[in-house]
mmCIF file with all atom_site columns, all heavy atoms in Angstrom:
data_model
loop_
_atom_site.group_PDB
_atom_site.id
_atom_site.type_symbol
_atom_site.label_atom_id
_atom_site.label_alt_id
_atom_site.label_comp_id
_atom_site.label_asym_id
_atom_site.label_entity_id
_atom_site.label_seq_id
_atom_site.pdbx_PDB_ins_code
_atom_site.Cartn_x
_atom_site.Cartn_y
_atom_site.Cartn_z
_atom_site.occupancy
_atom_site.B_iso_or_equiv
_atom_site.pdbx_formal_charge
_atom_site.auth_seq_id
_atom_site.auth_comp_id
_atom_site.auth_asym_id
_atom_site.auth_atom_id
_atom_site.pdbx_PDB_model_num
ATOM 1  N N   . VAL P 1 43  ? -3.823  150.997 -104.453 1.00 86.00 ? 93  VAL P N   1
ATOM 2  C CA  . VAL P 1 43  ? -5.186  151.062 -103.904 1.00 86.00 ? 93  VAL P CA  1
ATOM 3  C C   . VAL P 1 43  ? -5.783  149.659 -103.827 1.00 86.00 ? 93  VAL P C   1
ATOM 4  O O   . VAL P 1 43  ? -6.464  149.315 -102.847 1.00 86.00 ? 93  VAL P O   1
ATOM 5  C CB  . VAL P 1 43  ? -6.059  151.994 -104.766 1.00 86.00 ? 93  VAL P CB  1
ATOM 6  C CG1 . VAL P 1 43  ? -7.516  151.944 -104.286 1.00 86.00 ? 93  VAL P CG1 1
ATOM 7  C CG2 . VAL P 1 43  ? -5.541  153.419 -104.703 1.00 86.00 ? 93  VAL P CG2 1
ATOM 8  N N   . GLY P 1 44  ? -5.526  148.824 -104.826 1.00 84.00 ? 94  GLY P N   1
ATOM 9  C CA  . GLY P 1 44  ? -6.044  147.460 -104.809 1.00 84.00 ? 94  GLY P CA  1
ATOM 10 C C   . GLY P 1 44  ? -5.484  146.643 -103.660 1.00 84.00 ? 94  GLY P C   1
ATOM 11 O O   . GLY P 1 44  ? -6.198  145.836 -103.051 1.00 84.00 ? 94  GLY P O   1
ATOM 12 N N   . VAL P 1 45  ? -4.211  146.856 -103.327 1.00 82.00 ? 95  VAL P N   1
ATOM 13 C CA  . VAL P 1 45  ? -3.566  146.099 -102.247 1.00 82.00 ? 95  VAL P CA  1
ATOM 14 C C   . VAL P 1 45  ? -4.205  146.401 -100.904 1.00 82.00 ? 95  VAL P C   1
ATOM 15 O O   . VAL P 1 45  ? -4.395  145.509 -100.064 1.00 82.00 ? 95  VAL P O   1
ATOM 16 C CB  . VAL P 1 45  ? -2.051  146.388 -102.219 1.00 82.00 ? 95  VAL P CB  1
ATOM 17 C CG1 . VAL P 1 45  ? -1.418  145.866 -100.927 1.00 82.00 ? 95  VAL P CG1 1
ATOM 18 C CG2 . VAL P 1 45  ? -1.367  145.763 -103.434 1.00 82.00 ? 95  VAL P CG2 1
ATOM 19 N N   . VAL P 1 46  ? -4.564  147.672 -100.655 1.00 81.00 ? 96  VAL P N   1
ATOM 20 C CA  . VAL P 1 46  ? -5.074  148.056 -99.327  1.00 81.00 ? 96  VAL P CA  1
ATOM 21 C C   . VAL P 1 46  ? -6.598  148.139 -99.277  1.00 81.00 ? 96  VAL P C   1
ATOM 22 O O   . VAL P 1 46  ? -7.152  148.455 -98.226  1.00 81.00 ? 96  VAL P O   1
ATOM 23 C CB  . VAL P 1 46  ? -4.475  149.421 -98.893  1.00 81.00 ? 96  VAL P CB  1
ATOM 24 C CG1 . VAL P 1 46  ? -2.964  149.367 -98.879  1.00 81.00 ? 96  VAL P CG1 1
ATOM 25 C CG2 . VAL P 1 46  ? -4.959  150.555 -99.796  1.00 81.00 ? 96  VAL P CG2 1
ATOM 26 N N   . SER P 1 47  ? -7.298  147.868 -100.378 1.00 79.00 ? 97  SER P N   1
ATOM 27 C CA  . SER P 1 47  ? -8.741  148.107 -100.413 1.00 79.00 ? 97  SER P CA  1
ATOM 28 C C   . SER P 1 47  ? -9.539  147.223 -99.464  1.00 79.00 ? 97  SER P C   1
ATOM 29 O O   . SER P 1 47  ? -10.557 147.657 -98.914  1.00 79.00 ? 97  SER P O   1
ATOM 30 C CB  . SER P 1 47  ? -9.265  147.928 -101.845 1.00 79.00 ? 97  SER P CB  1
ATOM 31 O OG  . SER P 1 47  ? -9.024  146.611 -102.298 1.00 79.00 ? 97  SER P OG  1
ATOM 32 N N   . GLY P 1 48  ? -9.100  145.973 -99.251  1.00 75.00 ? 98  GLY P N   1
ATOM 33 C CA  . GLY P 1 48  ? -9.816  145.091 -98.335  1.00 75.00 ? 98  GLY P CA  1
ATOM 34 C C   . GLY P 1 48  ? -11.261 144.889 -98.756  1.00 75.00 ? 98  GLY P C   1
ATOM 35 O O   . GLY P 1 48  ? -11.569 144.725 -99.936  1.00 75.00 ? 98  GLY P O   1
ATOM 36 N N   . GLN P 1 49  ? -12.183 144.936 -97.776  1.00 70.00 ? 99  GLN P N   1
ATOM 37 C CA  . GLN P 1 49  ? -13.608 144.738 -98.042  1.00 70.00 ? 99  GLN P CA  1
ATOM 38 C C   . GLN P 1 49  ? -14.390 146.041 -98.119  1.00 70.00 ? 99  GLN P C   1
ATOM 39 O O   . GLN P 1 49  ? -15.612 146.028 -98.165  1.00 70.00 ? 99  GLN P O   1
ATOM 40 C CB  . GLN P 1 49  ? -14.216 143.861 -96.932  1.00 70.00 ? 99  GLN P CB  1
ATOM 41 C CG  . GLN P 1 49  ? -13.589 142.484 -96.821  1.00 70.00 ? 99  GLN P CG  1
ATOM 42 C CD  . GLN P 1 49  ? -13.750 141.685 -98.098  1.00 70.00 ? 99  GLN P CD  1
ATOM 43 O OE1 . GLN P 1 49  ? -14.833 141.610 -98.653  1.00 70.00 ? 99  GLN P OE1 1
ATOM 44 N NE2 . GLN P 1 49  ? -12.659 141.086 -98.568  1.00 70.00 ? 99  GLN P NE2 1
ATOM 45 N N   . SER P 1 50  ? -13.674 147.161 -98.136  1.00 75.00 ? 100 SER P N   1
ATOM 46 C CA  . SER P 1 50  ? -14.356 148.463 -98.153  1.00 75.00 ? 100 SER P CA  1
ATOM 47 C C   . SER P 1 50  ? -14.984 148.725 -99.516  1.00 75.00 ? 100 SER P C   1
ATOM 48 O O   . SER P 1 50  ? -14.310 148.655 -100.546 1.00 75.00 ? 100 SER P O   1
ATOM 49 C CB  . SER P 1 50  ? -13.356 149.579 -97.825  1.00 75.00 ? 100 SER P CB  1
ATOM 50 O OG  . SER P 1 50  ? -13.911 150.842 -98.104  1.00 75.00 ? 100 SER P OG  1
ATOM 51 N N   . GLN P 1 51  ? -16.278 149.039 -99.508  1.00 72.00 ? 101 GLN P N   1
ATOM 52 C CA  . GLN P 1 51  ? -16.972 149.358 -100.752 1.00 72.00 ? 101 GLN P CA  1
ATOM 53 C C   . GLN P 1 51  ? -16.411 150.633 -101.367 1.00 72.00 ? 101 GLN P C   1
ATOM 54 O O   . GLN P 1 51  ? -16.225 150.730 -102.588 1.00 72.00 ? 101 GLN P O   1
ATOM 55 C CB  . GLN P 1 51  ? -18.474 149.527 -100.488 1.00 72.00 ? 101 GLN P CB  1
ATOM 56 C CG  . GLN P 1 51  ? -19.318 149.813 -101.717 1.00 72.00 ? 101 GLN P CG  1
ATOM 57 C CD  . GLN P 1 51  ? -19.532 148.592 -102.592 1.00 72.00 ? 101 GLN P CD  1
ATOM 58 O OE1 . GLN P 1 51  ? -19.225 147.477 -102.204 1.00 72.00 ? 101 GLN P OE1 1
ATOM 59 N NE2 . GLN P 1 51  ? -20.050 148.812 -103.799 1.00 72.00 ? 101 GLN P NE2 1
ATOM 60 N N   . MET P 1 53  ? -13.397 151.863 -101.050 1.00 80.00 ? 103 MET P N   1
ATOM 61 C CA  . MET P 1 53  ? -12.074 151.604 -101.597 1.00 80.00 ? 103 MET P CA  1
ATOM 62 C C   . MET P 1 53  ? -12.169 150.807 -102.893 1.00 80.00 ? 103 MET P C   1
ATOM 63 O O   . MET P 1 53  ? -11.385 151.012 -103.823 1.00 80.00 ? 103 MET P O   1
ATOM 64 C CB  . MET P 1 53  ? -11.206 150.875 -100.579 1.00 80.00 ? 103 MET P CB  1
ATOM 65 C CG  . MET P 1 53  ? -10.769 151.725 -99.399  1.00 80.00 ? 103 MET P CG  1
ATOM 66 S SD  . MET P 1 53  ? -9.696  153.091 -99.881  1.00 80.00 ? 103 MET P SD  1
ATOM 67 C CE  . MET P 1 53  ? -8.239  152.224 -100.466 1.00 80.00 ? 103 MET P CE  1
ATOM 68 N N   . LYS P 1 54  ? -13.139 149.895 -102.962 1.00 79.00 ? 104 LYS P N   1
ATOM 69 C CA  . LYS P 1 54  ? -13.321 149.129 -104.196 1.00 79.00 ? 104 LYS P CA  1
ATOM 70 C C   . LYS P 1 54  ? -13.701 150.046 -105.346 1.00 79.00 ? 104 LYS P C   1
ATOM 71 O O   . LYS P 1 54  ? -13.160 149.939 -106.458 1.00 79.00 ? 104 LYS P O   1
ATOM 72 C CB  . LYS P 1 54  ? -14.404 148.056 -103.995 1.00 79.00 ? 104 LYS P CB  1
ATOM 73 C CG  . LYS P 1 54  ? -14.602 147.183 -105.240 1.00 79.00 ? 104 LYS P CG  1
ATOM 74 C CD  . LYS P 1 54  ? -15.694 146.152 -105.026 1.00 79.00 ? 104 LYS P CD  1
ATOM 75 C CE  . LYS P 1 54  ? -17.076 146.777 -105.128 1.00 79.00 ? 104 LYS P CE  1
ATOM 76 N NZ  . LYS P 1 54  ? -18.160 145.755 -105.118 1.00 79.00 ? 104 LYS P NZ  1
ATOM 77 N N   . PRO P 1 126 ? -15.980 144.936 -93.121  1.00 69.00 ? 176 PRO P N   1
ATOM 78 C CA  . PRO P 1 126 ? -14.987 144.656 -92.069  1.00 69.00 ? 176 PRO P CA  1
ATOM 79 C C   . PRO P 1 126 ? -13.635 145.263 -92.448  1.00 69.00 ? 176 PRO P C   1
ATOM 80 O O   . PRO P 1 126 ? -13.072 144.940 -93.484  1.00 69.00 ? 176 PRO P O   1
ATOM 81 C CB  . PRO P 1 126 ? -14.914 143.125 -92.074  1.00 69.00 ? 176 PRO P CB  1
ATOM 82 C CG  . PRO P 1 126 ? -15.279 142.739 -93.478  1.00 69.00 ? 176 PRO P CG  1
ATOM 83 C CD  . PRO P 1 126 ? -16.219 143.782 -93.987  1.00 69.00 ? 176 PRO P CD  1
ATOM 84 N N   . ILE P 1 127 ? -13.158 146.200 -91.646  1.00 70.00 ? 177 ILE P N   1
ATOM 85 C CA  . ILE P 1 127 ? -11.816 146.766 -91.832  1.00 70.00 ? 177 ILE P CA  1
ATOM 86 C C   . ILE P 1 127 ? -10.989 146.314 -90.637  1.00 70.00 ? 177 ILE P C   1
ATOM 87 O O   . ILE P 1 127 ? -11.169 146.802 -89.520  1.00 70.00 ? 177 ILE P O   1
ATOM 88 C CB  . ILE P 1 127 ? -11.852 148.299 -91.936  1.00 70.00 ? 177 ILE P CB  1
ATOM 89 C CG1 . ILE P 1 127 ? -12.721 148.730 -93.122  1.00 70.00 ? 177 ILE P CG1 1
ATOM 90 C CG2 . ILE P 1 127 ? -10.436 148.857 -92.099  1.00 70.00 ? 177 ILE P CG2 1
ATOM 91 C CD1 . ILE P 1 127 ? -12.819 150.231 -93.322  1.00 70.00 ? 177 ILE P CD1 1
ATOM 92 N N   . MET P 1 143 ? -5.407  152.742 -95.713  1.00 83.00 ? 193 MET P N   1
ATOM 93 C CA  . MET P 1 143 ? -6.269  153.196 -96.803  1.00 83.00 ? 193 MET P CA  1
ATOM 94 C C   . MET P 1 143 ? -6.245  154.718 -96.923  1.00 83.00 ? 193 MET P C   1
ATOM 95 O O   . MET P 1 143 ? -6.141  155.273 -98.026  1.00 83.00 ? 193 MET P O   1
ATOM 96 C CB  . MET P 1 143 ? -7.701  152.716 -96.568  1.00 83.00 ? 193 MET P CB  1
ATOM 97 C CG  . MET P 1 143 ? -7.862  151.209 -96.528  1.00 83.00 ? 193 MET P CG  1
ATOM 98 S SD  . MET P 1 143 ? -9.583  150.740 -96.173  1.00 83.00 ? 193 MET P SD  1
ATOM 99 C CE  . MET P 1 143 ? -9.429  148.954 -96.040  1.00 83.00 ? 193 MET P CE  1
#
Side-chain angles (χ1 to χ4, degrees):
V93 174
V95 167
V96 302
S97 61
Q99 300 299 312
S100 168
Q101 182 75 11
M103 289 296 294
K104 182 181 77 172
I177 300 180
M193 298 178 185

